[in-house]
Amino acid sequence: MRNRRVVITGMSVLTPIGNTLDEFWNNSLNCKIGYDLHDYKGMKRVLGLIGDFEDLTANKPAKK
C-alpha cells in the first residue's frame, strides 16, 4: 500500500451542543446532552436543535 499524506486545513462543527469547535469540545467534556423533548406538528419528538444557525450563515458570501 502506498503512503499518502493528508493536510487538515481547518475544523468546524454545527451541533446541538455547540456551533464552534471550542464550545462543542467543552460541552462534550462536560457531558452536555443536545437532545430534548419538543412538540413537532402536534406530537412529542426527541430532537437535537441547532441554535443560532441563521446567524452563522448570514455573513457568508454566496458561492458562484
Side-chain angles (χ1 to χ4, degrees):
M1 181 177 274
R2 198 173 145 199
N3 289 337
R4 293 185 178 181
R5 294 182 184 203
V6 175
V7 177
I8 299 173
T9 59
M11 294 173 41
S12 65
V13 295
L14 189 59
T15 72
I17 62 170
N19 294 339
T20 65
L21 193 56
D22 289 334
E23 182 182 18
F24 168 75
W25 187 249
N26 289 329
N27 287 333
S28 295
L29 293 176
N30 292 320
C31 300
K32 183 172 180 184
I33 299 171
Y35 300 94
D36 201 3
L37 194 61
H38 294 277
D39 281 326
Y40 178 73
K41 295 185 179 179
M43 296 180 286
K44 296 282 188 182
R45 297 283 188 220
V46 176
L47 301 173
L49 303 177
I50 299 173
D52 298 330
F53 182 71
E54 291 82 15
D55 292 342
L56 294 173
T57 60
N59 296 327
K60 303 270 181 177
K63 291 184 179 181
K64 292 183 179 183

